[in-house]
Amino acid sequence: MSDAIKAVWAAIDADPDYVVELTSELVRIPSVNPKFEQAAGLNEEAAVQAVVDKRLKAEGFATEQWDVFPGRPNLVANWDGGEDKSFILCGHIDVVPTGDGDSWARKPFSGEIADGRVWGRGAVDMKGGVAACMAAAHAIRKAGVKLDGRLSIHTVVDEEAGGFGAMDAVKRGKLAKRALIAEPTWGNVVPAEGGLTWVRVTIFGKAAHAGWRFNSIFPQPHVPGRLEPGVNAIELANRFLSALRDFEMSRCRNTWHPLVPAGLATINPGVIRGGAGLGPDGNPLIMSNAAIIPDVVTIDLDYKFLPNEKFEDVKAEFESFVHHFAAADSWMRDNPPKILWDLFDLNFPPLNTPVDHPLVTSVVAHATKVQAKAPEVKGFEAVTDAAHYAGAGVVPVIYGPSGDGFHGKNECVDIPSLIETTKVIAATVIDNCGTR
């Protein structure tokens, strides 16, 4: 272990309350993502960023803020240094709603410090991780360590609703060679996560009066003047979903990555709408009249793929499946389903940093020493902002503290893990940025 790391760890040990109190301060500011719930005093992302900005300026960072959405700013802070050893520490400052706050054992935004934990919404997801990044920088400066490479801290909005804060930072060129995203990993090291996109499949039928349904499903003589039968798009969609399940199972059986659970490449039908007439928003216009044979169904899919898969290949495979499904039906051959990719602009590229990459081995080595046991190196089952940096050519890893109540009630972060995370992040920064 280098003298610089020893000095920084000594600084953290001398003031272990710094990261704890900072976490509590951030939790006490409600910053619920307004896409989920809006109320006075509840959506205070800008107030969180004001605290972060003041703290980082005091550490000598040059800070920059801009609105991703009105009143919802990203913040990027930089210590100058070389680009070859540039490094990003990233965390999101939006949180999910609390639900019934009266059912919590402690007030959801109390930031209470008790029983070895900091309590409140966002404590583990992920204001504790944000605080650990800031505390690591605080300890580096306090120890008098000068970094050779540029260190950036990104605190971004909207991760919980699709990562549009990180996406915006990436689009603006706020990049580096490597990055650490301090999401809660319970002390494990996570260099891989699957990709995710939302896709809409629109299935077309032919509208008709439901009273004439017999004309569609029971053999009728073809006599002059016979009404053209309707084609029920909901029934076509039912057949499609059955075929989709078989296709999904085939993908789960035939795709594999060593760090993620078997069968991760799932395709979840999350929203389905059926009715008559196609509206300007791409959904059925009439969804309240069962007397109409419906002529349109939209199915919104949450489509996961593996860290070692390319989106272009996944896209081509799915489009081939839909094409062959439609080709087996005389109606759909002439009226094929429509596929809309990147629905609502939601698209997470895969993350697949090699386990022997210096960034990964650095985090593993320091976590092993600090935690007194080797961390598990594993993949992430969900998605994080690491995806957006990876898609822009940055090499990321995910590492952060442990806690409970993740997206549930009685959320908390473990204080020992906060201090351990701060130490591991600080040492990883020194390894990657170097010193001068």
Side-chain angles (χ1 to χ4, degrees), residues 5-20:
I5 292 175
K6 290 178 182 177
V8 171
W9 283 5
I12 294 169
D13 287 335
D15 190 11
D17 292 337
Y18 182 89
V19 68
V20 177

Side-chain angles (χ1 to χ4, degrees), residues 17 19-25 28 106 110-120 413 415:
D17 292 337
V19 68
V20 177
E21 292 171 354
L22 177 56
T23 300
S24 176
E25 181 180 7
R28 290 197 302 270
R106 294 171 172 83
S110 69
E112 184 177 345
I113 301 169
D115 301 328
R117 294 174 168 181
V118 181
W119 298 85
V413 63
I415 288 174

Side-chain angles (χ1 to χ4, degrees), residues 19-43:
V19 68
V20 177
E21 292 171 354
L22 177 56
T23 300
S24 176
E25 181 180 7
L26 297 178
V27 169
R28 290 197 302 270
I29 305 172
S31 55
V32 173
N33 191 308
K35 291 182 179 178
F36 303 133
E37 182 180 5
Q38 295 185 32
L42 191 65
N43 314 115

Side-chain angles (χ1 to χ4, degrees), residues 56-79:
L56 293 181
K57 280 180 177 173
E59 306 294 351
F61 281 90
T63 65
E64 174 188 4
Q65 292 191 50
W66 71 91
D67 278 2
V68 179
F69 305 103
R72 304 184 62 196
N74 272 354
L75 185 149
V76 168
N78 287 294
W79 275 343

